[in-house]
Amino acid sequence: MSSQDRFKIDGHKMALHPQRAAAWLAAKDDWEKAKEIFPIYVEIGPVGYCNHECTFCGVDYMLDRPEKPRISEETMMATLTDMAEHGVLSVMFAGAGEPLLYKPLAESILHADRVGIDTSITTNAALLSEAFCRKAFHAKRLRWIKASVNAGDAQTYAKIHRTKPEDFERVLHNLERAVQVRRELGSDVTIGAQLVALPETEGQHKRSLLREQHPSNIHTITPFAKRLRDIGVDYLVVKPYSQHLMSQDTRVYEGMTYKSAREWVEEARAISTNSFSVVVRYETMENWDAEERGYDKCHATPYHWAYLEADGEVWGCSAYLGREENGVQYGNDRFRYGNVNASSFSEIWRGDRRRANWEYVRTELNIEQCRKNCRMHQVNLYLEHLAHPGPHDTFI
């Protein structure tokens, strides 16, 4: 892990929750114990639609639903309260859609603050208004806002986000105003940005149309980091692409490799200062090119995290997130536990569908079919080591 990565972004924080890890170890094959292990972290997608159409979007198949799903404010507040009462510690508002399209988002963050849940937002930041910041930044438990900005110049940005070039400067202006509001209010919220590194795919240099439609953004990383540093943002995370299992339109990126990343990683990291960090998730990039995962079972699911979709469905893993259309099921329905519009989150978490998924993940799931470089990869490596200690691990 880079010394610049003070937030442990290119790693995991599971080791900071020893009670949960101990409960997981004790549960083993005992459902009565396992059902009481609630997630540490939940991702919530408050709406199921977006104002951008990024070329690499992993959940593009979720964004063409005619009903435009959203969680009602009443259900959101009740669910956050229920989560807090059962040990959920953090919520990230992100999901398949753009969370800032959810009008009661600031109220949801303030409510989570009152009931004791840490919150964060991952957003494209095109709608990150000063009014929103002035309201949401009063929540002491709003820990961070991360803007997904996937190129460092307007033209490349417009091609990748499939939006107008002027949105690039709008986003940077919004981030600058957020920094100013934070300073005025004395807020502790961390303001960062992330960029999905998109090298050219194999053969792309021979196919000009492919390059035009799916451009590389590597050449924009260093100048982008300088812009962010100058406007007072706290960090830039550069992370690798991860192919979602269900997505079809993004398959063009499967030929990418990060084997040449060392050529530009150090240049990007050199932009860091005492107050601004460039965190290149190089270890995660190496995992993209690795042949083995380091474990043969998923230990994080269905225990330590969960996903709440805009239609109210609770999922154990976002890699299997799906929907039904015209009788066709997208995703893996075995990871869907229930709907908060019909039952409470805690009832769902203790319910029969999660129990069935618990059995499935333990005994049947072939993780070679799982999403590579998934969000729980580092957590799984850590839990694998806990469950199967080495012969020298007693020598502390």
Side-chain angles (χ1 to χ4, degrees):
M1 184 185 302
S2 167
S3 60
Q4 299 160 351
D5 187 8
R6 66 185 187 276
F7 301 112
K8 296 182 175 64
I9 295 171
D10 193 23
H12 72 91
K13 305 180 185 74
M14 191 68 203
L16 302 177
H17 303 279
Q19 295 90 347
R20 300 295 181 99
W24 172 78
L25 279 171
K28 293 185 179 178
D29 300 329
D30 187 338
W31 167 247
E32 291 304 312
K33 292 180 179 179
K35 75 177 183 180
E36 296 301 325
I37 301 176
F38 277 73
I40 297 169
Y41 155 80
V42 177
E43 179 175 347
I44 297 180
V47 300
Y49 44 93
C50 193
N51 55 334
H52 285 183
E53 297 181 14
C54 297
T55 58
F56 61 86
C57 179
V59 288
D60 50 5
Y61 66 102
M62 296 291 289
L63 296 174
D64 60 354
R65 290 170 287 181
E67 66 273 20
K68 302 294 183 186
R70 63 182 297 279
I71 300 174
S72 73
E73 184 173 0
E74 180 183 8
T75 298
M76 177 70 80
M77 303 308 181
T79 300
L80 289 170
T81 299
D82 186 42
M83 286 179 177
E85 290 172 350
H86 290 87
V88 173
L89 300 181
S90 66
V91 160
M92 178 176 71
F93 293 104
E98 166 52 48
L100 289 175
L101 288 169
Y102 186 64
K103 291 184 178 180
L105 183 60
E107 288 79 4
S108 302
I109 290 168
L110 291 167
H111 181 74
D113 197 53
R114 289 189 291 270
V115 298
I117 292 181
D118 291 346
T119 53
S120 63
I121 310 169
T122 295
T123 169
N124 60 42
L127 301 174
L128 184 63
S129 68
E130 180 177 343
F132 172 84
C133 292
R134 289 196 177 278
K135 189 170 188 177
F137 286 9
H138 285 288
K140 298 296 184 183
R141 289 180 175 271
L142 175 59
R143 303 302 187 184
W144 50 265
I145 295 176
K146 188 187 302 176
S148 181
V149 189
N150 296 286
D153 64 60
Q155 296 305 316
T156 308
Y157 172 88
K159 291 175 182 177
I160 292 175
H161 282 252
R162 289 194 283 206
T163 186
K164 298 171 292 187
E166 51 265 34
D167 274 4
F168 178 70
E169 291 297 334
R170 178 181 296 111
V171 165
L172 290 179
H173 171 75
N174 290 346
L175 290 173
E176 186 171 19
R177 288 298 297 145
V179 169
Q180 293 170 355
V181 171
R182 175 179 66 178
R183 185 183 308 116
E184 292 174 19
L185 297 180
S187 169
D188 293 327
V189 63
T190 298
I191 300 172
Q194 73 176 17
L195 178 148
V196 177
L198 300 172
E200 288 193 353
T201 59
E202 293 180 2
Q204 196 172 36
H205 63 286
K206 298 178 182 179
R207 299 165 64 185
S208 59
L209 179 60
L210 186 60
R211 180 189 289 113
E212 179 68 19
Q213 294 176 342
H214 303 281
S216 169
N217 58 11
I218 301 300
H219 64 288
T220 73
I221 293 174
T222 298
F224 183 44
K226 292 178 180 177
R227 288 286 305 273
L228 292 172
R229 178 194 62 191
D230 292 345
I231 66 176
V233 168
D234 296 306
Y235 65 79
L236 168 65
V237 176
V238 182
K239 69 176 190 176
Y241 170 77
S242 176
Q243 178 65 55
H244 196 282
L245 302 173
M246 310 304 162
S247 181
Q248 297 299 319
D249 292 346
T250 62
R251 295 285 173 184
V252 65
Y253 290 114
E254 285 186 300
M256 288 191 313
T257 178
Y258 291 96
K259 292 178 180 177
S260 62
R262 287 189 183 275
E263 298 175 7
W264 52 265
V265 164
E266 292 308 317
E267 179 185 14
R269 284 175 173 166
I271 307 302
S272 297
T273 66
N274 290 335
S275 58
F276 175 75
S277 299
V278 177
V279 180
V280 180
R281 298 186 63 180
Y282 189 67
E283 182 176 349
T284 310
M285 290 177 185
E286 289 184 322
N287 291 334
W288 172 266
D289 292 318
E291 294 183 3
E292 296 183 0
R293 295 175 189 264
Y295 48 90
D296 58 10
K297 291 184 182 297
C298 180
H299 305 305
T301 303
Y303 290 101
H304 307 302
W305 76 313
Y307 184 99
L308 175 57
E309 228 285 285
D311 59 5
E313 297 288 351
V314 176
W315 296 79
C317 177
S318 63
Y320 293 100
L321 183 66
R323 63 187 177 91
E324 184 176 321
E325 182 180 9
N326 298 325
V328 177
Q329 178 66 44
Y330 296 85
N332 188 334
D333 201 49
R334 300 178 83 166
F335 288 86
R336 182 177 61 83
Y337 302 156
N339 196 298
V340 294
N341 292 308
S343 304
S344 69
F345 182 86
S346 55
E347 290 171 336
I348 291 167
W349 200 251
R350 293 182 174 121
D352 291 340
R353 289 189 65 88
R354 178 173 170 251
R355 179 173 186 170
N357 184 247
W358 175 75
E359 293 280 7
Y360 171 68
V361 172
R362 288 167 56 247
T363 61
E364 296 181 50
L365 177 66
N366 178 6
I367 65 166
E368 293 305 312
Q369 299 173 359
C370 290
R371 186 176 189 174
K372 194 170 185 180
N373 256 0
C374 82
R375 187 169 292 163
M376 291 293 120
H377 174 68
Q378 294 288 346
V379 172
N380 275 326
L381 286 173
Y382 172 74
L383 294 174
E384 175 74 12
H385 196 167
L386 276 185
H388 303 96
H392 296 184
D393 286 353
T394 55
F395 297 87
I396 62 171

